[in-house]
Amino acid sequence: MTRRRFLGTAATLGAGAVAVPAVASPTVHPPGWSGTARVEKIATTCEMCFWRCGVLASVEGGKVVRVEGNPDHPQNQGRLCARGNAGTGLLHDPDRLKTPLLRVGERGEGRFKPVSWDEALDFLAGRLVKLRDEHGPESVAFFPHGNGARFFATLMRAYGTPNSAEPSFAQCRGPREVGYSLTFGQGLGSPEPVDLEEARLVVLIGSHLGENVFTSQITAFATGLARGAKLIAVDPRFSLAASKADWWLPIRPGTDIALLLAWMNVLIAEDLCDKEYLKTYASGFDRLANHVREFTPEWAEAITEIPAAKIRETARAMGKAKPAVAVHPGRHVTWYGDDTQRARAMAILTALLGSWGRKGGIFLPTPIPRGSFDLPDFPEPKRGRADGAGKRFPLAIEELGVTNGLIDATLSGDPYPIKAWIVYGQNMLESIPQPARTVEAIGKLDLMVVVDVLPVEQIKYADLVLPEATYLERYDPPTIVESAKRPFIAVRSPACEPLYESKPGWWIAKELAKRLKLEAFFPWDTPEQHLEKILKPTGFGARELLNRGAVAFPGKPYLEDRAPVDRTFDTASGKIELYSEALAKIGADPLPRYTPPVEPPKGFFRLIYGRAPVHSFARSQNNEALDALMSENEVWLATSVARDWGVTEGQRIVLENVEGVKSSPVRVKVTEGIRSDCAYLVHGFGQQSRALRRAFGRGASDNSLMSRVSVDPLTGGTGMRVNFVRAARA
Amino acid sequence: MARYAMVTDLRKCVACQACTVACSAEWAVPAGHARTHVRTTPLAGSFPNLTSSPVVGQCNQCDHPPCVEPCPSGATYQDAGGIVRVDTDVCIGCGFCVDACPYEARFINPRTKKVDKCDFCRPRIERGEVPACVATCTAHAKYFGDLEDRNSEVSRLVFRDGARRMETRTVAVGPNVFYLGRPEHLDLVLSSYPPRPPRLLTAGAAWTRLLKPLVLAMVGMTFAGQAVAFFTQLHKGEGDFEE
Ligand code: SF4
Ligand code: SF4
Ligand code: SF4
């Protein structure tokens, strides 16, 4: 059925459209659907968030009626989170983008007319040709997110622009990747390889696992706890993880580096480090020991407001549990602008405990084979990147780029004018801080294109909107995960035909390539051919992967699995660099140092934010099942703060930041479970797109209150916990 | 004979609500209702010495189910595996059982207008699968099995590891949903969400005893439609009476 149709799309006349047995045997429908009709299960990959769990989509009469976890998938082993289980809600969301839309009226009015794909693609190709002729291909900037974006990434490189940047770098995990790379010679990747299930002690610094849910990470976390792992939760808020912790350390926000330095101080002073490991693998220990000598727990107590005795106690617990200590590196880590240094401090702590590459610590990726196409050479851009990666932000990773750097360049025209944005799979007004600047930058453009599934806020500013098929309706490039104990390749393939006029990203990119005469960069006709080529060196065929959803390879997750000669680190010295020559060379602190965070003006409170288990960023608020579980966020206020503000539980208030920006009304949650120097919001609410009928205006948008950022000079990461709010006077 | 039971390990549960959504998807429960609810207790203590716990609630398939007796149509019954079930062909949607359940596990499904609740995924068990909530639980915190089988995982968790029932001295109806957790967490859960004494046992029981045969007779005479109307009326009357 669907599978066959998909595989045969272009090869309809071809020889081999063979019937493919479904992964699981057909099951009988439970009641509540439609009697005893038979259903078929298609193995594919979830995209309700970016974790990419394996799902089985039950298809009945061409309609996906249910998604469940794929028990044979090496990552999630049959489990799905709430969002994953609510996947059909996205597919059947009545507010979906249904046809290509072309702007009529002024930009920002949000008035469009539906057009055909031919019209939309001809329009876009025509504009891209004109931009290339008049301003050079570098004048087009691309903002991707997620797997599906990779076909567009190829297209943009073939077109000739180096300007591509994802929020997953400068608004999320960029500083972490850089900080760990400086130390261990490699970043963590995604999913982050934290050996939570084997840990004897888990250290969470701002990570709120449980509220922040990625299926397999939760499985590992809970399994570790059940096996008796101890837990340290460092968080200004009494998170779900804090409720399970042996030590909850309600730290003063922005002072984590001080705590980390004091932990190092105790580990070194009390001789609790893994000395053997350090001697074999690390360099710079003496310099580090000298550096942290003055950073005693008493020094840190004055800064962090965590009692020195607790700092000692927790450091000793780490020393005792080493090397099976999982210091979780965090994921969204762009907080205060010193984030690369905080990541360095966490990496150094991990090294002192001998936990990198060790059971219960951080495990290592295992390379797995993959094929590639012989593409023509990509044109060499005449002008370099406009986002400052490699220049203004010397350590930014160019493949990921600095979104805010591109926005800066668009606003200033420096180093050259940016004339067009193509935004794929993300809502920039919620994913990138300072949304007013983003809107201002859009005002400078000749062309703004949005490719998405839902009518997110920014489509209001678009000239052209292209409706993409959801993850249940499309093929995406295979997911290749090496940072897993059993590395694997998984596939996303359609369980049903795209609804309405929506189209898969590969098709859109390929059709554009045709019109731009760049077809040579897409040397395949069907998704199956694309997949076949990538799988070539693995020994697995496309058909097998499509049937099973994922194939796993043996892993070598720990140093001990590798021959001594292979236990090297990709740093200049070949060792773990506790002291970073690379940082010294560019005039940055070679050893992490505490810098005090910006303090709020009187009467204001620091705005901190996080996630809820039933929502993915700002992407899931329109989903019927998830909205029913959490339809708005609340602002958490300490009991004493609520009293000072004169507000009570459940009351709706408007938050106002220092710059006078106001939120939409949000309910107050009065709690003992937060420090009295901050206020907390779950991210992703308060959306302003009227076309999202459920999500519109529910709760408050933390992002809208982020008028300030503290930019990390090393990576360009936007520290966002430097905004302050109070209750607006009515 | 089997005696099915569920154990939830609250040390592992992270309140992610995957179970809730999976269950609703499996049984087409309309949004806004659910067969299984995840809550987090109010905080006990004061900053920074705080305690709270997630807890997952559903029908407890009680040994002595207080919801069976008040059902005027005979739709609610206990099956051979100890599972308390609702025959939706017979259910008239009166909601007496909803009031009677100490665990607030029952609701009127607005789509079917019949009572709805967890049945341990009976049809899945019969296919040899585990319940949908167990299959999806991200934390592997839920266990399902047969207590009659002394080698089952649930037997081990209940009889060896001391998984606890959520019952009090006043409401002890033999729930077959058990919990593992730190003792202070289990105490907090029980004191935050104690089972509620069945509401219909006094006045309601009288109504029931009086009307049950009548309804059966009417259903028997295929005056089902009228019976429903009659009961809806009565139920409303009862509600008014209570307020
Ligand atoms: S963590 Fe949840 S939303 Fe993310 S991929 Fe897995 S099931 Fe889907
Ligand atoms: S056992 Fe089945 S019906 Fe009961 S809560 Fe779990 S999924 Fe729902
Ligand atoms: S799925 Fe598991 S971890 Fe999540 S709320 Fe339900 S029982 Fe708890």
Side-chain angles (χ1 to χ4, degrees):
Chain A
M1 41 132 316
T2 319
R3 163 71 12 98
R4 227 178 316 152
R5 223 183 303 151
F6 151 65
L7 292 172
T9 310
T12 15
L13 322 166
V18 180
V20 177
V23 184
S25 47
T27 21
V28 173
H29 251 193
W33 297 339
S34 47
T36 54
R38 299 186 83 75
V39 295
E40 190 178 4
K41 295 192 178 185
I42 304 290
T44 181
T45 301
C46 183
E47 201 195 35
M48 293 299 283
C49 82
F50 52 76
W51 203 253
R52 298 172 289 184
C53 297
V55 302
L56 294 180
S58 298
V59 182
E60 185 193 329
K63 198 175 163 191
V64 179
V65 290
R66 167 96 155 92
V67 290
E68 291 163 277
N70 178 355
D72 296 328
H73 194 284
Q75 175 168 288
N76 56 306
Q77 298 170 23
R79 316 279 158 159
L80 293 181
C81 75
R83 301 156 308 181
N85 273 299
T88 56
L90 176 65
L91 177 65
H92 300 302
D93 190 321
D95 295 341
R96 270 180 68 173
L97 292 168
K98 298 185 177 75
T99 64
L101 297 170
L102 197 59
R103 172 165 69 84
V104 294
E106 291 304 303
R107 186 186 283 150
E109 272 180 15
R111 291 202 292 129
F112 298 94
K113 65 168 186 199
V115 293
S116 69
W117 274 102
D118 272 336
E119 208 176 332
L121 295 170
D122 289 346
F123 166 85
L124 178 51
R127 297 295 296 270
L128 288 173
V129 169
K130 192 156 171 277
L131 284 162
R132 184 169 58 191
D133 292 347
E134 290 175 6
H135 303 281
E138 304 87 353
S139 66
V140 177
F142 178 47
F143 295 90
H145 182 266
N147 251 29
R150 277 195 263 153
F151 294 117
F152 280 84
T154 304
L155 179 70
M156 297 319 294
R157 279 185 72 197
Y159 173 76
T161 178
N163 289 318
S164 164
E166 324 193 1
S168 60
F169 185 79
Q171 281 70 47
C172 193
R173 62 192 171 93
R176 175 192 91 177
E177 294 303 299
V178 172
Y180 277 71
S181 282
L182 287 165
T183 315
F184 297 110
Q186 70 189 59
L188 294 144
S190 178
E192 46 270 356
V194 193
D195 201 4
L196 295 162
E197 64 191 324
E198 300 284 352
R200 284 200 292 269
L201 174 65
V202 175
V203 185
L204 301 179
I205 300 176
S207 290
H208 48 312
L209 300 189
E211 288 149 292
N212 190 15
V213 169
F214 306 115
T215 302
S216 55
Q217 193 166 57
I218 294 301
T219 305
F221 178 51
T223 305
L225 292 182
R227 289 184 182 165
K230 296 267 188 273
L231 174 62
I232 299 172
V234 181
D235 200 315
R237 190 176 60 90
F238 190 69
S239 59
L240 181 279
S243 78
K244 296 190 182 301
D246 300 273
W247 295 274
W248 172 42
L249 306 180
I251 194 166
R252 189 161 75 85
T255 66
D256 307 72
I257 294 180
L259 173 66
L260 287 156
L261 290 170
W263 274 340
M264 293 177 209
N265 171 293
V266 179
L267 289 175
I268 294 174
E270 301 191 5
D271 207 10
L272 298 169
C273 305
D274 190 334
K275 276 192 298 209
E276 190 80 4
Y277 177 95
L278 291 169
K279 212 160 75 204
T280 318
Y281 299 122
S283 70
F285 181 80
D286 293 341
R287 285 165 143 176
L288 175 72
N290 274 332
H291 176 68
V292 300
R293 191 159 298 135
E294 59 183 302
F295 304 129
T296 59
E298 285 69 23
W299 167 82
E301 172 173 337
I303 294 168
T304 60
E305 296 177 11
I306 300 169
K310 282 253 189 268
I311 298 176
R312 282 213 169 77
E313 192 184 321
T314 43
R316 287 173 189 152
M318 288 183 221
K320 194 162 156 237
K322 76 170 182 292
V325 183
V327 180
H328 195 297
R331 187 162 182 114
H332 170 84
V333 297
T334 45
W335 299 347
Y336 297 99
D338 58 359
D339 306 301
T340 306
Q341 291 290 2
R342 189 181 63 253
R344 274 269 300 151
M346 292 166 72
I348 293 169
L349 178 68
T350 299
L352 291 182
L353 295 163
S355 308
W356 178 270
R358 304 287 283 284
K359 195 172 253 189
I362 303 289
F363 57 82
L364 305 171
T366 310
I368 47 178
R370 74 195 65 182
S372 58
F373 290 92
D374 281 329
L375 298 184
D377 289 340
F378 287 105
E380 192 58 44
K382 289 198 191 54
R383 294 173 289 183
R385 303 181 62 91
D387 63 353
K391 293 207 176 80
R392 183 152 69 107
F393 308 119
L395 301 180
I397 298 173
E398 299 196 3
E399 294 83 79
L400 296 170
V402 182
T403 48
N404 35 303
L406 281 182
I407 294 171
D408 293 345
T410 307
L411 280 167
S412 65
D414 179 28
Y416 49 82
I418 300 289
K419 292 289 178 188
W421 286 5
I422 299 179
V423 185
Y424 174 96
Q426 59 164 302
N427 177 6
M428 293 175 82
L429 299 179
E430 291 297 337
S431 63
I432 299 176
Q434 300 181 301
R437 283 185 99 233
T438 305
V439 171
E440 194 188 330
I442 295 171
K444 305 255 178 197
L445 299 173
D446 289 351
L447 177 68
M448 165 80 170
V449 181
V450 175
V451 186
D452 214 316
V453 171
L454 290 171
V456 295
E457 283 161 293
Q458 72 201 355
I459 71 153
K460 187 167 136 194
Y461 303 101
D463 301 303
L464 178 68
V465 180
L466 301 179
E468 206 192 9
T470 67
Y471 72 95
L472 288 168
E473 304 157 299
R474 69 171 196 257
Y475 169 78
D476 271 350
T479 291
I480 302 175
V481 173
E482 299 186 333
S483 60
K485 287 192 193 166
R486 282 167 71 216
F488 63 90
I489 300 182
V491 69
R492 176 171 295 138
S493 65
C496 65
E497 289 291 310
L499 295 181
Y500 319 112
E501 294 295 313
S502 70
K503 292 285 185 189
W506 67 264
W507 182 90
I508 305 173
K510 216 162 154 3
E511 287 294 315
L512 270 172
K514 264 187 217 162
R515 287 165 169 82
L516 293 167
K517 312 224 173 347
L518 298 171
E519 267 183 293
F521 291 91
F522 295 83
W524 41 273
D525 293 322
T526 62
E528 191 187 11
Q529 289 169 2
H530 179 260
L531 184 60
E532 199 75 65
K533 183 83 182 179
I534 290 173
L535 290 179
K536 194 74 186 288
T538 67
F540 292 104
R543 196 58 60 85
E544 178 168 14
L545 185 55
L546 289 164
N547 284 345
R548 290 169 54 185
V551 290
F553 300 80
K556 291 184 175 175
Y558 306 121
L559 285 167
E560 66 190 39
D561 300 328
R562 301 172 182 209
V565 291
D566 294 333
R567 300 178 195 168
T568 54
F569 298 84
D570 199 7
T571 55
S573 61
K575 299 234 172 194
I576 298 172
E577 299 199 343
L578 304 175
Y579 177 95
S580 172
E581 295 287 357
L583 284 175
K585 213 174 284 168
I586 58 169
D589 282 332
L591 290 162
R593 189 172 288 287
Y594 165 71
T595 44
V598 191
E599 290 301 325
K602 202 175 156 12
F604 284 86
F605 294 76
R606 190 179 301 276
L607 177 63
I608 58 175
Y609 51 84
R611 292 198 180 134
V614 300
H615 285 293
S616 297
F617 331 117
R619 295 170 62 144
S620 54
Q621 281 72 11
N622 214 54
N623 182 299
E624 186 182 21
L626 302 177
D627 169 75
L629 293 176
M630 183 181 186
S631 61
E632 58 183 312
N633 57 357
E634 299 170 304
V635 56
W636 292 37
L637 298 175
T639 319
S640 60
V641 174
R643 204 181 310 122
D644 284 355
W645 289 14
V647 298
T648 50
E649 176 85 16
Q651 186 182 340
R652 271 179 208 281
I653 63 170
V654 168
L655 296 171
E656 175 183 37
N657 71 9
V658 177
E659 288 71 21
V661 174
K662 291 186 172 146
S663 75
S664 40
V666 60
R667 258 189 230 281
V668 170
K669 169 181 167 121
V670 180
T671 174
E672 285 289 290
I674 189 169
R675 286 175 57 95
S676 56
D677 53 7
C678 45
Y680 174 81
L681 284 175
V682 165
H683 174 70
F685 288 87
Q687 293 185 39
Q688 296 305 312
S689 173
R690 283 181 190 277
L692 293 173
R693 284 170 288 180
R694 269 194 203 94
F696 174 72
R698 298 270 183 86
S701 160
D702 56 323
N703 202 58
S704 74
L705 295 166
M706 290 181 193
S707 304
R708 295 183 187 184
V709 291
S710 184
V711 177
D712 179 357
L714 299 173
T715 61
T718 49
M720 301 183 221
R721 300 197 172 176
V722 295
N723 291 280
F724 308 107
V725 294
R726 66 178 176 195
R729 314 254 175 266
Chain B
M1 274 254 293
R3 193 168 137 233
Y4 291 115
M6 182 93 73
V7 179
T8 304
D9 188 341
L10 300 185
R11 293 168 305 189
K12 294 171 104 181
C13 172
V14 296
C16 73
Q17 305 191 67
C19 48
T20 307
V21 181
C23 174
S24 293
E26 182 84 16
W27 301 112
V29 178
H33 294 269
R35 289 180 172 195
T36 176
H37 290 276
V38 179
R39 293 183 285 200
T40 303
T41 66
L43 297 187
S46 56
F47 184 93
N49 298 309
L50 298 166
T51 313
S52 81
S53 173
V55 62
V56 186
Q58 66 203 85
C59 169
N60 285 264
Q61 325 295 350
C62 309
D63 290 340
H64 311 288
C67 50
V68 171
E69 168 69 12
C71 174
S73 67
T76 284
Y77 66 102
Q78 199 170 21
D79 78 11
I83 298 178
V84 178
R85 298 174 64 185
V86 181
D87 184 340
T88 44
D89 290 339
V90 177
C91 173
I92 54 169
C94 69
F96 284 13
C97 58
V98 176
D99 289 347
C101 172
Y103 295 96
E104 300 178 48
R106 291 172 168 254
F107 58 96
I108 304 285
N109 182 320
R111 190 168 42 81
T112 61
K113 311 276 190 286
K114 305 289 175 76
V115 94
D116 200 337
K117 73 167 198 59
C118 165
D119 62 357
F120 276 174
C121 283
R122 209 0 146 167
R124 285 180 64 109
I125 309 173
E126 277 156 23
R127 292 199 299 267
E129 298 169 20
V130 295
C133 55
V134 177
T136 210
C137 175
T138 61
H140 295 207
K142 281 181 142 306
Y143 304 85
F144 175 80
D146 179 6
L147 286 180
E148 294 288 313
D149 172 3
R150 289 295 152 137
N151 297 317
S152 69
E153 197 165 31
V154 286
S155 286
R156 187 170 55 77
L157 297 174
V158 169
F159 300 119
R160 197 194 72 190
D161 299 350
R164 255 169 69 181
R165 294 177 138 162
M166 286 298 156
E167 33 178 31
T168 58
R169 222 155 18 89
T170 40
V171 187
V173 289
N176 285 302
V177 170
F178 296 79
Y179 297 89
L180 287 165
R182 296 186 188 179
E184 69 271 25
H185 284 164
L186 295 176
D187 291 344
L188 180 60
V189 166
L190 192 55
S191 63
S192 303
Y193 308 114
R196 163 190 86 180
R199 274 195 203 143
L200 278 187
L201 281 188
T202 49
W207 279 105
T208 308
R209 231 167 283 135
L210 181 67
L211 294 167
K212 194 176 197 168
L214 174 62
V215 173
L216 286 178
M218 289 174 80
V219 171
M221 293 187 298
T222 70
F223 288 139
Q226 285 177 31
V228 171
F230 181 41
F231 257 88
T232 313
Q233 203 76 44
L234 267 180
H235 186 46
K236 278 196 195 126
E238 166 109 3
D240 292 340
F241 177 74
E242 277 196 335
E243 280 151 24

